[in-house]
Amino acid sequence: MYTRMDAANPILVQWKKEQKVFEKNLALLRQKLNKEAIHDLRVAIKKLRAYFEFYLLLKKTEDLASGSLDGSLHSTEELFTTTGRQRDVEICLEIITEFKKSPPISINQFSLYLQTILKITKAWTNQEIHRYKNKELKKIAFLLKQEPEFNNSIELEQIIKSAIDEKVGKVSTHFKKPHLLRKNLKSVYYWLNLINQSEKYQPPLLHNILDDLGSWQDHDVLLVRMKHFRKDYLPKSFDEYGVLKELEKNIQERKSSLLRSAINKTRKWLKAITIA
């Protein structure tokens, strides 16, 4: 439940909202693993991470220097990393299923390899899900509630907008570093939940850019794993060796196309929000 005081603190409101999503999916996963719950859990963690990042920006270095905030999301980050290993394999399987359709190709050895790895990563996810102690998020919620800088909603909104504008100002410097570009744009996208009149920043277009960058990253993950399997495990005498090598070229071309699309859209987005 939110109190009237909480309502003046958009960071706390959004934190509690995502904390509830996180706890719901954690409970579901402790009963049975499923892809949707893992996805929703990980998205909730990404949002919580973004809100905590803003909190750290506001606190600057005083608490970091004292060590009072050191490792505040340590266990949650470990959960995110472990579930990410399973999610990466599932994404690889989803993408190659599409590649195998048109034109039809046979990459059964690589598919079998991914299925084997999936079983292992699912076991890791299950272990981490049950080992996780849900204390960190409640502790941070308490810190957010106690923060005096969050009591003035008008002043806080201006601080958030300034932080968003500062990140936006650095976007073009990340065009050659897609991972960093995606990370920073995600922070902006989630921070928009904290302010009124966020339409100035055109969230739908930003979401579209993030879709392209997310697909780029998915194909990058697949390419790394495919090359590793082909070079380190698959005998060169197998027909699939040549098939995978050719497929890697197609994936690289797809990555390049997605990145070009994302950067072109980002330039349009930057121009649009500057005019606005």
Side-chain angles (χ1 to χ4, degrees):
M1 294 289 294
Y2 305 138
T3 66
R4 184 174 296 179
M5 185 175 292
D6 291 347
N9 183 347
I11 300 173
L12 180 59
V13 170
Q14 292 299 324
W15 181 274
K16 287 185 174 181
K17 176 184 174 183
E18 295 309 321
Q19 185 179 346
K20 188 176 292 186
V21 173
F22 173 89
E23 290 170 350
K24 173 188 173 183
N25 286 285
L26 182 68
L28 288 172
L29 289 167
R30 282 176 170 166
Q31 294 174 16
K32 184 180 179 181
L33 293 185
N34 70 80
K35 290 195 295 186
E36 290 76 18
I38 286 177
H39 173 267
D40 292 346
L41 179 92
R42 286 172 52 76
V43 170
I45 293 175
K46 289 176 186 177
K47 292 181 180 179
L48 290 166
R49 180 197 285 160
Y51 302 142
F52 188 59
E53 177 192 359
F54 182 80
Y55 173 71
L56 293 181
L57 280 176
L58 197 66
K59 294 301 290 179
K60 310 221 182 276
T61 59
E62 59 205 52
D63 288 320
L64 292 175
S66 68
S68 61
L69 293 176
D70 184 45
S72 293
L73 278 174
H74 178 71
S75 296
T76 308
E77 289 287 0
E78 283 189 349
L79 178 62
F80 183 81
T81 299
T82 303
T83 55
R85 299 189 190 284
Q86 175 184 336
R87 186 71 190 128
D88 282 350
V89 179
E90 289 172 340
I91 288 170
C92 288
L93 284 165
E94 289 169 8
I95 296 174
I96 65 169
T97 297
E98 293 302 314
F99 271 114
K100 287 192 290 186
K101 290 179 180 177
S102 180
I105 57 173
S106 177
I107 49 174
N108 295 332
Q109 299 301 319
F110 182 54
S111 297
L112 181 60
Y113 168 76
L114 289 176
Q115 291 288 355
T116 302
I117 298 300
L118 182 59
K119 290 179 182 178
I120 297 170
T121 55
K122 278 185 174 181
W124 292 344
T125 293
N126 190 56
Q127 177 178 308
E128 195 65 36
I129 285 290
H130 287 88
R131 185 169 59 181
Y132 179 78
K133 305 295 183 187
N134 194 11
K135 296 179 180 179
E136 294 175 339
L137 305 187
K138 294 176 182 177
K139 179 181 177 182
I140 294 173
F142 178 77
L143 289 174
L144 295 176
K145 193 167 188 176
Q146 301 301 312
E147 191 53 55
E149 282 104 328
F150 293 172
N151 292 335
N152 187 326
S153 58
I154 297 175
E155 183 178 329
L156 180 59
E157 173 123 347
Q158 290 305 313
I159 293 172
I160 295 170
K161 285 181 178 178
S162 294
I164 289 173
D165 289 338
E166 186 176 346
K167 270 198 182 291
V168 169
K170 296 177 181 178
V171 164
S172 60
T173 65
H174 302 319
F175 285 161
K176 293 184 179 180
K177 299 176 181 178
H179 289 291
L180 191 56
L181 176 65
R182 182 172 181 250
K183 179 182 177 182
N184 285 356
L185 287 178
K186 266 194 176 295
S187 291
V188 171
Y189 186 69
Y190 293 145
W191 288 359
L192 292 180
N193 294 326
L194 305 175
I195 63 173
N196 298 314
Q197 298 178 335
S198 62
E199 61 272 10
K200 170 198 169 183
Y201 297 92
Q202 302 201 23
L205 179 53
L206 181 53
H207 184 273
N208 192 259
I209 294 166
L210 288 168
D211 277 348
D212 279 351
L213 289 171
S215 187
W216 175 88
Q217 181 164 304
D218 291 345
H219 283 77
D220 186 56
V221 167
L222 172 60
L223 187 60
V224 169
R225 279 153 181 73
M226 187 177 288
K227 283 184 175 180
H228 169 60
F229 172 73
R230 178 178 61 82
K231 292 181 177 181
D232 295 343
Y233 296 116
L234 190 64
K236 285 187 176 181
S237 58
F238 282 33
D239 291 342
E240 189 170 321
Y241 190 95
V243 174
L244 288 177
K245 197 168 183 179
E246 189 63 30
L247 187 53
E248 287 164 21
K249 294 178 183 177
N250 294 339
I251 295 171
Q252 186 59 58
E253 289 173 3
R254 177 61 177 154
K255 277 183 57 188
S256 298
S257 174
L258 286 163
L259 186 56
R260 281 195 303 272
S261 174
I263 290 175
N264 287 337
K265 289 175 184 175
T266 303
R267 287 196 172 103
K268 291 178 182 177
W269 176 73
L270 288 170
K271 186 176 180 180
I273 65 176
T274 300
I275 293 173

